[in-house]
Amino acid sequence: MTTRDEREGYLEAAGYNAFLLRAEHVLIDLLTDSGTGAMSANQWAAIMRGDESYAGARSYYNLVSVIDGIFGFKYVLPTHQGRAAERILFSIACKPGDVVPNNTHFDTTRANVEFVGAQAVDLPIPEGRSPGARHPFKGNMDTAALEALIEETGAERVPLVMLTITNNSGGGQPVSMQNVRDVRAICNRYKIPLYIDACRFAENCWFIREREEGYADKTPREIARELFSHADGCTMSAKKDGLVNIGGFLAGNDELLARQESRLLILTEGFPTYGGLAGRDLEAMAVGLEEVLSEDYLRYRIASTAYLGERLTEIGVPIVQPPGGHAIYIDAKELLPHIPPKAFPGQALVAELYLEGGIRAVEIGTAMFGSTDAETGEETVAAMELVRLAIPRRVYTQSHIDYVSEIVEDVFANRSRIRGLKMAWQAPPLRHFTARFEPAVSE
Ligand code: F0G
């Protein structure tokens, strides 16, 4: 617990950027659901069984067998987290001038595509760009737009198509099996590989079971098997649906590609059977990937996220509808119409949630996806100004979540008093992690 006075000081010292706060000064931490979950007794037990051999550890083969059982990919490269898998994949697959379509790139995915000189293009369905629009699979890719983009660019300049499940930057919204099939069919026509950004695959599979015809009687594992059978490979941040605090992998079926990727893995991550992780990390990941498919777990997980969404909707707070899998996204543009996007309404709301109740959220808007022209200082703004309340897995109880809705209710009641911010310092790319802000003097 901290007092409001203390929080004012901490926030100012952090340049109004919640990433720069000390975690011990945060009461309820909804910054991310990544690596912040609680591991189970079984995972801790598995950690004790870690085989720390440099090469060919038993723990690696355990993980490979679990990944084969769920995802069905032949070649598995462990990485320390998702972005390491992304960097390796795009470094091998892309060259400057290429175009990578995705339903919506996550920030690190976009940055890794752009880092190798390729262009990252987001192609969500129109509903995916409209926070209030309801659609059971709002994370879907716009297949007509995909086809048009490939025609326009030329298939030879599209090294792969990616689907992010669930669509994090688009509101944690699921992608339907039908959409995966449709995207696959287009990829087949143009002979382009399809990769899945699989971070929240189990949550996506649960939504398919709940919402898509023909899946109500299938297990999450069966749905996952089918989904990944349409893909050539995946990148995975196991910090989400791997239920671990660190870990990830890159997997696929192409032997030549896997060999090239291994070379890069050895260069920066480690030998291919540990990839920058300890044997015990591989064990914990193997157990987590199985646990996350538990029906009881997934039912509770998705229901508890929806619970927060429903409370906020009752209060009148505009959120991305319907609630997604891992987080609730507040529409800061609608909540704070008096703050123009150039004055970072999302960032201002993040600051206010911390001041009011010690809650840490994250902006997914112009601070994250906008940019400042180096010469003119002109700010390019993002399509949406969202504030994400991400829910760590197996951590908070209903009373914590009730506290969060009470604080949001207070902030909502006083929203007209919230003022915009200006960015005082930044270091692109991924500027939002380290940028410093100041209260805007005039708007
Ligand atoms: N892809 C998606 C969809 C993600 O949400 C993330 C991470 C990554 C890739 C990168 O994985 O962090 O293990 O390197 N998302 C976190 C978040 C950071 O807060 O949403 P990583």
Side-chain angles (χ1 to χ4, degrees):
M1 291 298 285
T2 48
T3 65
R4 193 181 169 102
D5 271 357
E6 284 168 342
R7 291 196 290 276
E8 269 170 14
Y10 297 144
L11 194 63
E12 204 185 326
Y16 295 84
N17 184 345
F19 278 105
L20 304 180
L21 289 169
R22 289 173 74 132
E24 65 189 323
H25 297 153
V26 173
L27 184 63
I28 305 274
D29 204 345
L30 307 183
L31 182 70
T32 179
D33 63 321
S34 180
T36 52
M39 289 212 295
S40 68
N42 269 334
Q43 284 178 292
W44 284 108
I47 279 197
M48 297 297 142
R49 292 192 301 266
D51 175 356
E52 304 302 343
S53 304
Y54 189 93
R58 190 183 56 239
S59 302
Y60 170 72
Y61 291 103
N62 283 347
L63 176 66
V64 168
S65 136
V66 167
I67 292 175
D68 181 39
I70 300 169
F71 301 84
F73 293 125
K74 279 198 214 119
Y75 303 101
V76 177
L77 301 179
T79 58
H80 76 278
Q81 59 184 82
R83 68 197 70 181
E86 291 164 5
R87 192 187 64 83
I88 290 169
L89 174 65
F90 299 134
S91 300
I92 301 290
C94 300
K95 47 184 195 313
D98 281 353
V99 170
V100 178
N102 197 322
N103 44 353
T104 309
H105 290 83
F106 182 64
D107 58 354
T108 61
T109 324
R110 167 173 292 277
N112 274 299
V113 169
E114 290 172 351
F115 194 70
V116 297
Q119 194 194 341
V121 179
D122 292 341
L123 300 175
I125 55 169
E127 290 88 341
R129 292 191 196 272
S130 163
R134 278 182 185 266
H135 187 289
F137 292 100
K138 219 174 158 176
N140 281 355
M141 179 178 268
D142 184 335
T143 48
L146 174 65
E147 231 171 328
L149 179 74
I150 299 172
E151 283 291 337
E152 189 186 315
T153 316
E156 67 291 348
R157 282 181 50 213
V158 182
L160 59 109
V161 171
M162 230 175 171
L163 277 175
T164 304
I165 65 167
T166 56
N167 185 348
N168 183 11
S169 309
Q173 300 291 326
V175 173
S176 69
M177 191 73 84
Q178 188 57 47
N179 192 244
V180 176
R181 277 191 223 111
D182 293 344
V183 169
R184 173 81 249 178
I186 295 170
C187 288
N188 282 351
R189 209 167 322 134
Y190 293 96
K191 300 196 168 36
I192 301 173
L194 172 62
Y195 272 74
I196 307 252
D197 179 337
C199 301
R200 301 178 179 88
F201 77 99
E203 292 171 5
N204 199 99
C205 290
W206 187 258
F207 281 119
I208 289 176
R209 184 184 143 119
E210 298 273 279
R211 297 181 185 170
E212 193 161 355
E213 211 180 316
Y215 290 94
D217 298 327
K218 294 212 186 323
T219 64
R221 173 188 295 272
E222 286 166 339
I223 298 171
R225 284 292 308 206
E226 180 182 338
L227 198 155
F228 288 98
S229 75
H230 298 300
D232 296 285
C234 75
T235 56
M236 174 76 187
S237 168
K239 298 170 75 172
K240 287 82 166 172
D241 276 352
L243 298 177
V244 286
N245 305 119
I246 196 73
F249 58 85
L250 172 59
N253 286 327
D254 184 325
E255 189 183 353
L256 179 65
L257 198 64
R259 256 192 262 144
Q260 292 172 316
E261 288 162 352
S262 294
R263 284 176 51 202
L264 207 52
L265 187 82
I266 292 171
L267 193 66
T268 57
E269 293 274 306
F271 192 72
T273 61
Y274 75 84
L277 294 169
R280 54 180 175 269
D281 298 326
L282 305 175
E283 292 284 353
M285 202 186 333
V287 176
L289 288 168
E290 296 281 0
E291 285 183 354
V292 80
L293 292 170
S294 148
E295 291 180 23
D296 290 338
Y297 161 77
L298 282 171
R299 187 176 294 113
Y300 180 75
R301 168 81 178 151
I302 299 302
S304 53
T305 304
Y307 174 81
L308 176 59
E310 281 153 18
R311 292 288 85 73
L312 299 195
T313 305
E314 278 164 21
I315 294 164
V317 176
I319 63 164
V320 173
Q321 296 284 4
H326 66 294
I328 295 301
Y329 295 68
I330 299 177
D331 182 353
K333 207 188 267 183
E334 193 172 332
L335 186 82
L336 304 171
H338 58 288
I339 304 181
K342 285 177 188 178
F344 306 100
Q347 198 67 33
L349 180 59
V350 168
E352 197 61 27
L353 288 169
Y354 177 69
L355 279 181
E356 188 68 27
I359 296 167
R360 175 154 69 169
V362 72
E363 189 250 27
I364 300 196
T366 292
M368 187 181 274
F369 288 120
S371 59
T372 313
D373 188 290
E375 273 164 30
T376 61
E378 202 47 39
E379 191 68 33
T380 306
V381 302
M384 295 193 273
E385 301 295 338
L386 303 177
V387 167
R388 184 182 74 171
L389 305 172
I391 307 179
R393 293 169 181 77
R394 307 192 291 205
V395 172
Y396 291 119
T397 64
Q398 188 169 338
S399 58
H400 293 114
I401 298 299
D402 286 338
Y403 170 83
V404 172
S405 27
E406 283 159 24
I407 295 299
V408 176
E409 189 166 10
D410 293 344
V411 168
F412 183 67
N414 296 314
R415 61 193 181 281
S416 62
R417 293 214 296 266
I418 301 174
R419 293 283 158 258
L421 296 168
K422 72 171 202 272
M423 204 180 264
W425 185 86
Q426 60 176 297
L430 300 175
R431 62 180 188 168
H432 56 289
F433 287 122
T434 52
R436 299 187 71 84
F437 298 84
E438 287 167 2
V441 187
S442 59
E443 280 156 22

